[in-house]
Amino acid sequence: MRDLNLWPIGNCQVSALVDTEARFVWGCAPRVDGDPLFCSLLDPRCESELPCGEWSIAVENQVKCEQHYLRNTPILRTRLSDAEGGAIEIFDFCPRFQRSGRMYRPVAFIRIVRPLSGSPRIRVKLNPAVNWGEKEAERTSGSNHIRFLLKPQPIRLTTDAPIDHVLSGRAFRLEKSLHFFLGPDEPFVGHLGHTLATMLHETSDEWREWVRGLAIPLEWQHVVIRAAITLKLCQHEETGAIVAALTTSIPEAAHSGRNWDYRYCWIRDAYYTVQALNRLGALDVLENYLGYLRNIVDEAKGGFIQPLYAVSGAPKLEEGVAEGLAGYRGMGPVRVGNAAYTQVQHDAYGQIILSNAQAFFDERLFRKATREDFASLEKVGERAWENYNQPDAGLWEFRTRTSVHTYSSVMCWAGCDRLANAAAVLGLDDKARLWRERADTIRATIEERAFLGGEKRFSAIFDGDELDASLLQMLDMRFLKPDDPRFIATFDAVEKGLRRGQHMLRYASEDDFGLPETAFNFCTFWLIEALYLVGREEEARELYAAMLERLTPAGLLSEDTDFETHELWGNYPQTYSLVGLINCAGLLSRPWSSVR
């Protein structure tokens, strides 16, 4: 049975998920939101029938599989052993390194297979799918290559393995290192083995150099490094977009129908991602993303910002169902596109401004923000000012109801507040006063309409009494301080209403699909942050340790966790959850000064 014990590889252009049997079970081309050439993760029929949408390398009579990443990289090493003492190792990666002054990150997947002991016999099967799993790709072959006629771009496997054995899936003895380069449909130039070995070393060096520049906490270093590498893999480097996850339609709970396509750039999710990586000093991700945002703002019609966009920046993400795939463990539907792009979510205005705010102050950046950038952001601020007290779908993207959500209003306040800060540093005193007055007005409105005087706490919506975990973000936005009695009362109500043992719900009320059945991992990390900030430090550390027990062997998390079985559900790897891992480690860790 499929599970989420998957190992991501990638190069910020394409990615793949490798399972515990060394099979590529998910991966799209020519970019993360494209048609999946590997899609068996979402089709259990591939387990019993001819593999479709999969790339497997297996040892005959296999008895053991051991996997780990090469240190501080997303390069996966797998060791497969057979019953007779034979063993092989496989290195899986997507090449990414500087070449001729540019980052070389092709639409390409590399596998290097080496014999280690005994006389292992291996079987290689490569069956890319087309049109969302409807059929296998047509193929042609030559003496050292196989062409797969994908759309919009064919791909080519170049290999020094016997082509006939790869085409037929026939087992053969592995007596020397074999090399596989699945990439652009063009003749491979150079010695295949030497070139791929060089790419392995250069890709490893590139990632280790990037990790070396991170400012990580003393404790939980491996956790933070792995989360940071994976967040970077979620950025489409060509445009700067950051996707919410690498997959679509892993259900939020078994048979729930809560199956969504997360391979797009949510303004909110990307804000949290760059915020977390900023805390580690990974400014390259921020700078790339700001370039993406500037184009989004330039092209916004009437200043309206959608909640999400394609990685290209395209606004339309029409939602449909891939009928050719049965779904994760047969739990369809498999959705392509996301109708949330049509929703109104006012928090996006604040998040665009917050993502840009650092650029007005940070002298390390190649491109500091200018007065022209401020003028462009003011258009976003105007939308925040106009809409802070208007109903929207909220950050949980309700599809059948709207309210004036406190979280959205606080984000609009934060946007105006940060514009005032930016205006001040630019010497625009009149603008600073204007945006400060607007921020003060929004604050007063929130304190009047979202505050419940009787319970002395805030509500998740204006003029109501609902709870949701996003109220805890009033601290992160600097709207409230941890010792504010109003926050203490709000936190107490949220914890009592939404905490389920070691986990946290987003909300406990019915939505479009009924009552929530799993905990939302990011909200559990918000709980941990709040516990620490109100002085319950030991409890926060214990809860963080419990969350680390949920990590997959790759050191990652999906979106949701069953609060009874602790099984992971939801799209994977999920940027929100990885952000929580990083933020809480930074908050809870002992300082470096304690060991220096």
Side-chain angles (χ1 to χ4, degrees):
M1 184 173 67
R2 298 288 188 193
D3 58 33
L4 295 181
N5 291 338
L6 304 170
W7 300 76
I9 62 170
N11 62 2
C12 306
Q13 173 68 37
V14 289
S15 57
L17 298 181
V18 186
D19 74 1
T20 53
E21 299 296 326
R23 299 175 295 194
F24 283 30
V25 297
W26 181 257
C28 302
R31 62 190 193 203
V32 66
D33 59 355
D35 189 358
L37 66 162
F38 309 122
C39 56
S40 62
L41 176 65
L42 296 184
D43 201 340
R45 295 172 296 189
C46 295
E47 292 281 287
S48 56
E49 302 172 10
L50 181 68
C52 52
E54 190 170 279
W55 188 359
S56 64
I57 298 177
V59 172
E60 281 196 333
N61 301 316
Q62 181 179 314
V63 295
K64 192 174 184 181
C65 176
E66 302 165 275
Q67 292 174 298
H68 68 269
Y69 284 118
L70 298 192
R71 181 174 179 266
N72 294 351
T73 78
I75 300 170
L76 178 63
R77 179 186 181 269
T78 300
R79 178 188 171 106
L80 301 177
S81 304
D82 65 27
E84 289 76 39
I88 70 170
E89 66 178 0
I90 307 169
F91 293 93
D92 291 323
F93 66 102
C94 298
R96 182 179 182 275
F97 49 85
Q98 291 286 338
R99 190 169 78 173
S100 302
R102 299 187 300 272
M103 186 62 73
Y104 175 70
R105 39 173 166 70
V107 178
F109 307 89
I110 293 175
R111 311 195 79 171
I112 299 174
V113 187
R114 296 171 180 166
L116 295 177
S117 64
S119 303
R121 290 175 59 81
I122 69 169
R123 191 184 306 273
V124 180
K125 295 181 180 180
L126 176 54
N127 307 89
V130 295
N131 198 22
W132 282 88
E134 284 192 356
K135 59 181 180 179
E136 291 184 16
E138 296 180 16
R139 64 190 69 187
T140 63
S141 62
S143 57
N144 296 108
H145 74 268
I146 305 171
R147 296 178 66 238
F148 298 95
L149 306 183
L150 306 184
K151 294 180 180 180
Q153 300 168 200
I155 59 172
R156 176 186 298 231
L157 175 72
T158 302
T159 182
D160 48 13
I163 288 294
D164 183 65
H165 292 347
V166 176
L167 286 168
S168 64
R170 179 183 176 85
F172 61 96
R173 182 179 287 198
L174 181 69
E175 297 183 323
K176 62 178 182 178
S177 295
L178 296 180
H179 307 83
F180 302 84
F181 183 87
L182 183 63
D185 184 26
E186 56 194 39
F188 191 92
V189 178
H191 186 284
L192 181 65
H194 295 166
T195 302
L196 297 197
T198 300
M199 287 184 176
L200 174 63
H201 289 296
E202 292 185 338
T203 299
S204 177
D205 289 346
E206 183 70 34
W207 281 103
R208 287 173 177 165
E209 187 68 26
W210 185 78
V211 169
R212 186 171 177 269
L214 298 179
I216 60 175
L218 172 62
E219 297 182 81
W220 306 294
Q221 293 184 42
H222 293 295
V223 172
V224 171
I225 289 171
R226 183 54 50 199
I229 288 173
T230 309
L231 286 179
K232 186 164 176 62
L233 288 181
C234 289
Q235 181 167 58
H236 187 71
E237 209 163 48
E238 181 181 335
T239 63
I242 300 169
V243 298
L246 298 179
T247 59
T248 178
S249 301
I250 308 297
E252 294 179 14
H255 303 287
S256 65
R258 301 173 187 264
N259 301 11
W260 312 114
D261 191 349
Y262 277 13
R263 302 166 307 132
Y264 308 110
C265 183
W266 268 259
I267 301 299
R268 175 173 49 255
D269 302 47
Y271 157 69
Y272 281 109
T273 298
V274 297
Q275 180 197 50
L277 290 176
N278 285 351
R279 290 169 175 168
L280 302 181
L283 297 180
D284 58 323
V285 176
L286 169 67
E287 290 181 303
N288 283 345
Y289 178 59
L290 293 185
Y292 177 81
L293 277 188
R294 285 190 288 269
N295 282 302
I296 293 296
V297 172
D298 286 348
E299 296 168 11
K301 295 180 179 178
F304 173 71
I305 300 294
Q306 296 176 189
L308 66 153
Y309 295 83
V311 296
S312 65
K316 273 197 169 185
L317 301 170
E318 293 182 359
E319 188 176 295
V321 172
E323 302 292 350
L325 295 172
Y328 179 73
R329 300 185 187 173
M331 301 176 193
V334 173
R335 290 190 171 93
V336 183
N338 198 303
Y341 85 93
T342 64
Q343 288 187 353
V344 174
Q345 296 178 27
H346 298 315
D347 58 309
Y349 300 114
Q351 286 141 2
I352 285 179
I353 296 167
L354 266 63
S355 296
N356 278 273
Q358 182 172 338
F360 291 96
F361 297 88
D362 198 331
E363 294 292 345
R364 298 171 296 172
L365 299 178
F366 288 131
R367 183 191 183 282
K368 279 193 69 179
T370 65
R371 289 193 175 198
E372 290 74 19
D373 294 323
F374 178 81
S376 180
L377 283 179
E378 277 198 299
K379 298 175 185 176
V380 180
E382 290 292 344
R383 296 286 299 197
W385 170 243
E386 293 167 6
N387 292 288
Y388 77 89
N389 58 358
Q390 299 301 308
D392 69 356
L395 80 161
W396 307 129
E397 300 184 341
F398 297 118
R399 293 197 166 199
T400 58
R401 68 176 190 260
T402 61
S403 299
V404 182
H405 289 92
T406 304
Y407 176 87
S408 296
S409 297
V410 170
M411 274 293 180
C412 289
W413 166 83
C416 294
D417 176 77
R418 299 338 184 242
L419 279 176
N421 295 343
V425 77
L426 291 172
L428 303 173
D429 295 341
D430 289 345
K431 293 290 188 180
R433 278 193 296 274
L434 171 67
W435 290 108
R436 179 62 57 213
E437 289 169 0
R438 289 181 170 182
D440 290 344
T441 298
I442 297 175
R443 171 181 280 279
T445 304
I446 294 169
E447 291 176 337
E448 177 188 352
R449 295 188 58 192
F451 190 68
L452 301 172
E455 300 180 41
K456 295 182 170 45
R457 68 166 178 90
F458 284 93
S459 165
I461 61 173
F462 279 20
D463 307 320
D465 62 357
E466 294 188 17
L467 288 171
D468 86 44
S470 67
L471 288 168
L472 302 182
Q473 286 293 282
M474 298 175 96
L475 288 186
D476 198 55
M477 296 302 106
R478 303 201 304 269
F479 189 87
L480 295 177
K481 295 181 179 180
D483 59 356
D484 188 318
R486 297 173 299 174
F487 178 75
I488 299 297
T490 301
F491 178 35
D492 183 60
V494 168
E495 185 178 14
K496 287 179 179 176
L498 303 181
R499 184 171 180 176
R500 300 291 185 272
Q502 296 176 335
H503 300 283
M504 192 78 159
L505 300 176
R506 288 174 286 187
Y507 46 85
S509 57
E510 286 197 18
D511 59 16
D512 312 329
F513 293 83
L515 289 171
E517 301 171 64
T518 52
F520 197 76
N521 291 327
F522 198 27
C523 294
T524 302
F525 289 116
W526 288 351
L527 170 64
I528 294 169
E529 291 175 358
L531 287 170
Y532 177 84
L533 292 170
V534 299
R536 294 159 63 183
E537 297 180 19
E538 192 57 38
E539 190 176 350
R541 289 180 67 91
E542 290 173 359
L543 195 53
Y544 186 64
M547 287 301 292
L548 297 186
E549 294 176 3
R550 316 281 181 253
L551 298 181
T552 65
L556 305 173
L557 288 170
S558 65
E559 181 183 52
D560 308 279
T561 301
D562 187 300
F563 39 77
E564 294 180 355
T565 68
H566 306 308
E567 183 177 8
L568 294 178
W569 290 91
N571 283 311
Y572 175 91
Q574 222 259 1
T575 54
Y576 269 163
S577 301
L578 304 183
V579 165
L581 285 169
I582 291 172
N583 289 347
C584 287
L587 194 64
L588 300 175
S589 174
R590 291 179 291 122
W592 279 96
S593 60
S594 67
V595 297
R596 284 176 178 160

